[in-house]
Amino acid sequence: MKIVTSGCKYIDIDAYGGIIAYSYLLNLKGIPAKAVSTSPLNESITPTLLNLDIKLDKYEKSNDDEFIIVDVSNKDFFDDIVDENRIIEVIDHRTGFKDYWENILNKNAKIEFIGAAATLIFEEYEKNNLVSSMPPSIAILLLAGILDNTLNLKAKLTTKRDIDACEKLLQIANISKDFAKEYFLECQNSIEIDLEKSIENDTKVEKICEILPEVFGQLAVWSKEFILNNKEIIYKTLGKINDDWMFNLISLSDGKSYIIANSEEYKIKLEKLFNKLFENDIMELDNVWLRKEIIKKARMAMQ
């Protein structure tokens, strides 16, 4: 059995939709496959998406299992069910481990720099001439994955391939053109129900470079007001991890990122990085920035 899975800490809609869609594709090709994850689902996987007619499969371990990994290529973060010696394919839109997997898997290392893994999965349907066999529920999952990972196609890493895939998936899904707004509002509602947990679930703790603090939280919402009006929860949640932290609030309705930081040392460094000033611990940027894009900018500034 081919087991299509993803990461261990949590999975987002890009991973969730990707593993379900790829498992469905393999079964269309006559290859028995299951979409499996033992990891928590984050807020990007909304109740509406969970209620679609195609879901994750139950998993019973077998010695014959072979693993296909989607939306992650760092082996330290694979789902706990994965046997590294039985990995037969890796599909990811982050390229840091591209060479490693190409040496092991050759053409089965499908790793390309692109906005979303869901775009790569959709393109697999195209390569196999099976787009016409894709059910609307699969199209909705992949569409949500692309929108979420590209910030409604506004993130700098968005490619024409992501945009083209979205346009085709909208046709297959046969849903409202307001789907993006409706989807992100539903994500925001899930976030607001337990803001502290949502922040914890999307906080990266890693010493990246001298410009950025070790603790780096992020949330993407449709509208910023609720989060900014409850700013003290950010201070409380991230402050429990480390005294020095930063938080990236992505507001899609106005197409901006709002950087929140409490450390005077890091505020000075971030002001220099973006050529912007903090006001009451908040720096308003001119457009949306993903955490990975901020990290890349900081690393380049250190060179």
Side-chain angles (χ1 to χ4, degrees), residues 144-158:
I146 297 171
L147 292 173
D148 179 72
N149 266 227
T150 63
L151 302 178
N152 200 18
L153 303 176
K154 294 178 181 177
K156 295 172 186 61
L157 51 69
T158 306

Side-chain angles (χ1 to χ4, degrees), residues 148-151 154-157 212 216-220 246-252 255-259 273-276 283-300:
D148 179 72
N149 266 227
T150 63
L151 302 178
K154 294 178 181 177
K156 295 172 186 61
L157 51 69
L212 304 178
F216 192 163
Q218 174 175 278
L219 285 176
M246 66 180 289
F247 184 79
N248 179 30
L249 174 61
I250 301 163
S251 178
L252 295 171
K256 294 183 178 182
S257 274
Y258 297 84
I259 305 298
L273 181 67
F274 286 104
N275 195 28
K276 292 277 185 178
M283 176 195 292
E284 179 180 326
L285 302 182
D286 293 332
N287 44 38
V288 294
W289 285 75
L290 283 164
R291 175 168 47 207
K292 66 184 76 173
E293 294 171 334
I294 295 173
I295 290 171
K296 182 179 179 181
K297 183 176 177 66
R299 282 175 169 161
M300 289 179 65

Side-chain angles (χ1 to χ4, degrees), residues 212-242:
L212 304 178
E214 184 176 317
V215 178
F216 192 163
Q218 174 175 278
L219 285 176
V221 295
W222 184 255
S223 178
K224 64 184 182 295
E225 280 73 22
F226 178 86
I227 310 296
L228 292 182
N229 289 338
N230 291 273
K231 197 169 64 168
E232 69 279 359
I233 298 177
I234 299 172
Y235 284 72
K236 173 187 171 185
T237 307
L238 298 182
K240 287 191 298 186
I241 304 172
N242 195 298

Side-chain angles (χ1 to χ4, degrees), residues 67-258:
F67 297 93
I68 298 169
I69 315 298
V70 174
D71 196 35
V72 59
S73 49
N74 183 343
K75 61 183 181 179
D76 294 338
F77 296 101
F78 291 164
D79 194 301
D80 294 338
I81 63 172
V82 173
D83 179 349
E84 187 183 339
N85 296 317
R86 300 187 67 83
I87 294 172
I88 61 169
E89 191 172 358
V90 176
I91 303 171
D92 193 18
H93 63 123
R94 305 170 187 86
T95 57
F97 293 86
K98 181 179 175 71
D99 291 343
Y100 175 84
W101 288 111
E102 283 184 344
N103 287 334
I104 297 172
L105 301 174
N106 298 313
K107 64 180 181 179
N108 284 335
K110 300 170 182 175
I111 301 173
E112 299 182 59
F113 185 77
I114 198 168
T119 300
L120 297 173
I121 300 297
F122 174 73
E123 291 175 347
E124 289 297 311
Y125 275 80
E126 290 188 313
K127 291 173 188 176
N128 287 276
N129 297 313
L130 286 169
V131 172
S132 61
S133 299
M134 179 185 289
S137 53
I138 292 289
I140 290 170
L141 290 174
L142 292 177
L143 179 60
I146 297 171
L147 292 173
D148 179 72
N149 266 227
T150 63
L151 302 178
N152 200 18
L153 303 176
K154 294 178 181 177
K156 295 172 186 61
L157 51 69
T158 306
T159 69
K160 186 177 184 301
R161 290 162 64 186
D162 298 300
I163 295 168
D164 289 346
C166 269
E167 291 175 352
K168 294 172 184 176
L169 287 165
L170 267 173
Q171 297 299 316
I172 300 166
N174 192 27
I175 50 177
S176 164
K177 289 188 176 180
D178 290 330
F179 172 78
K181 180 179 179 180
E182 294 165 0
Y183 167 67
F184 285 113
L185 282 172
E186 191 174 9
C187 290
Q188 178 158 351
N189 182 61
S190 298
I191 287 169
E192 291 178 0
I193 289 171
D194 190 342
L195 180 55
E196 184 172 348
K197 181 181 177 183
S198 298
I199 295 168
E200 289 173 348
N201 286 346
D202 204 352
T203 294
K204 185 182 184 75
V205 182
E206 180 184 355
K207 188 57 184 174
I208 295 161
C209 67
E210 292 305 312
I211 295 174
L212 304 178
E214 184 176 317
V215 178
F216 192 163
Q218 174 175 278
L219 285 176
V221 295
W222 184 255
S223 178
K224 64 184 182 295
E225 280 73 22
F226 178 86
I227 310 296
L228 292 182
N229 289 338
N230 291 273
K231 197 169 64 168
E232 69 279 359
I233 298 177
I234 299 172
Y235 284 72
K236 173 187 171 185
T237 307
L238 298 182
K240 287 191 298 186
I241 304 172
N242 195 298
D243 289 337
D244 296 333
W245 51 263
M246 66 180 289
F247 184 79
N248 179 30
L249 174 61
I250 301 163
S251 178
L252 295 171
S253 60
D254 59 359
K256 294 183 178 182
S257 274
Y258 297 84

